[in-house]
Amino acid sequence: MSDQFIKTVTKNKYFRAYALNGTQFVREAAATHETSRLAAVVLGRGLLATTLTAQSVLKGEERLAIQINGRGPIGNVVAEADAKGSVRGYVTNPQLEPIFDADGKLDVAQAVGTNGFLQITKFAPYANPYIGQSQLVSGEIGDDFTYYLAQSEQIPSVVGVSVYMNQDDTVEVAGGFLVQALPDATDEAIDDLEAALKNMKPLADMLVAGYTPLEILEEIFGQGEVEILQVAGVGLAAEPTKAAYRDMLTTLPAEEVQAMIDEDGGAEIVGKFSGKRYFFTADELREIVIEINDKNYD
């Protein structure tokens, strides 16, 4: 089953709510980056939270990039997403050894750290990027996105994300939800939501039990209390082709490309988001130098 995202509104029009099953794309990202057990959870949570946030704040051709730097041993958590459901990301230290908390569970907060910021940059066609930033509050990622949306976007929100791992360090299930208060939400409705979130089943348990995105939201609001506005697929963004990277090389000064020939006899490009490697021979680079010079001559 492919990954699925839903956008809903509660029937009382007090809340907008999103949920997704991102098992496949988190599993693929973890395998691509050959992550350790802990790094897979951190990366997965970052991808899930970024996807949910993108779906809630973007439209059309807009996209956003997030960076979490809590000065923990995982390093930076980086992700990008667009309004169409594509996401990609990486962590600086994908082979981080396990760190456990007092209960013997993987300690995401210690891996990420809390001495830093979550920064989100929104890109829109024909407009300057908008950069928002907030202090990390827990390092658990979901809480940090919740705080960012309340502080930088002025939207009272709750973000929940979870990645559950198999014994062989592969991803079993991954998913999450995002709830945002609408302008008509009453104080009583918000209090009821807080109580429901406190008393709901653990998100990981629901995912393992096979809850659909709709069933996760109904666990919060009650069966039949949300109206589905949109159902869409989500997944990892396509990796640029070698031809696309070649186009990028043609934007460099000719002397920089020539230096790759003279010093290295070619060039290797490694995609940060995919880990894929593309090699350009000296002859291929010479063709690019000619193309750059012809373009500049024109």
Side-chain angles (χ1 to χ4, degrees), residues 2-298:
S2 62
D3 291 334
Q4 187 183 78
F5 155 85
I6 65 169
K7 175 181 178 180
T8 72
V9 64
T10 56
K11 290 187 175 179
N12 58 20
K13 302 298 187 287
Y14 288 158
F15 301 99
R16 184 169 49 195
Y18 309 78
L20 67 83
N21 184 320
T23 299
Q24 189 61 35
F25 72 70
V26 172
R27 185 180 292 157
E28 289 177 5
T32 294
H33 294 284
E34 299 180 345
T35 56
S36 67
R37 186 179 187 88
L38 180 53
V41 174
V42 174
L43 175 59
R45 288 191 187 183
L47 292 171
L48 293 163
T50 301
T51 301
L52 288 163
T53 302
Q55 294 300 320
S56 70
V57 303
L58 300 183
K59 58 183 182 295
E61 299 301 316
E62 295 175 345
R63 58 190 178 86
L64 63 78
I66 75 99
Q67 179 173 324
I68 299 173
N69 183 357
R71 295 180 174 84
I74 197 69
N76 289 337
V77 182
V78 179
E80 295 181 357
D82 61 26
K84 299 176 182 178
S86 293
V87 65
R88 60 182 184 172
Y90 66 90
V91 293
T92 305
N93 185 6
Q95 296 301 319
L96 181 63
E97 293 296 322
I99 303 170
F100 298 101
D101 62 19
D103 296 323
K105 297 180 180 180
L106 289 173
D107 197 333
V108 171
Q110 188 173 339
V112 173
T114 57
N115 185 23
F117 296 87
L118 163 61
Q119 178 175 295
I120 297 185
T121 305
K122 291 192 289 185
F123 302 91
Y126 316 114
N128 292 327
Y130 166 80
I131 300 175
Q133 183 173 271
S134 65
Q135 180 77 39
L136 295 178
V137 293
S138 75
E140 294 284 352
I141 297 180
D143 295 339
D144 301 304
F145 273 79
T146 295
Y147 185 74
Y148 170 85
L149 288 168
Q151 296 297 310
S152 294
E153 300 288 338
Q154 301 297 306
I155 306 173
S157 307
V158 178
V159 179
V161 289
S162 180
V163 178
Y164 189 86
M165 303 295 291
N166 291 311
Q167 290 300 316
D168 63 358
D169 292 349
T170 58
V171 175
E172 179 173 344
V173 286
F177 65 86
L178 165 60
V179 177
Q180 295 180 327
L182 293 173
D184 290 337
T186 64
D187 291 341
E188 182 181 1
I190 292 174
D191 289 343
D192 289 344
L193 171 63
E194 292 175 350
L197 291 169
K198 183 177 180 179
N199 295 321
M200 69 184 286
K201 298 176 184 177
L203 179 58
D205 291 353
M206 289 190 280
L207 292 168
V208 170
Y211 278 50
T212 65
L214 175 60
E215 288 170 336
I216 290 173
L217 295 181
E218 288 185 329
E219 176 71 17
I220 299 171
F221 295 106
Q223 190 169 1
E225 293 301 317
V226 295
E227 176 185 346
I228 295 178
L229 303 178
Q230 180 186 3
V231 178
V234 290
L236 289 184
E239 167 68 15
T241 63
K242 183 177 179 179
Y245 282 118
R246 185 188 186 283
D247 289 341
M248 296 177 199
L249 288 173
T250 63
T251 65
L252 297 176
E255 56 267 25
E256 289 190 21
V257 181
Q258 185 63 48
M260 299 175 191
I261 300 171
D262 298 338
E263 297 172 12
D264 302 313
E268 184 179 55
I269 297 177
V270 181
K272 279 190 175 182
F273 291 100
S274 70
K276 290 185 177 179
R277 299 174 181 269
Y278 298 92
F279 186 75
F280 289 84
T281 65
D283 286 341
E284 289 174 317
L285 293 180
R286 290 189 187 100
E287 291 178 1
I288 291 172
V289 170
I290 292 172
E291 184 174 329
I292 294 170
N293 287 331
D294 287 346
K295 189 185 302 179
N296 291 337
Y297 179 78
D298 293 340

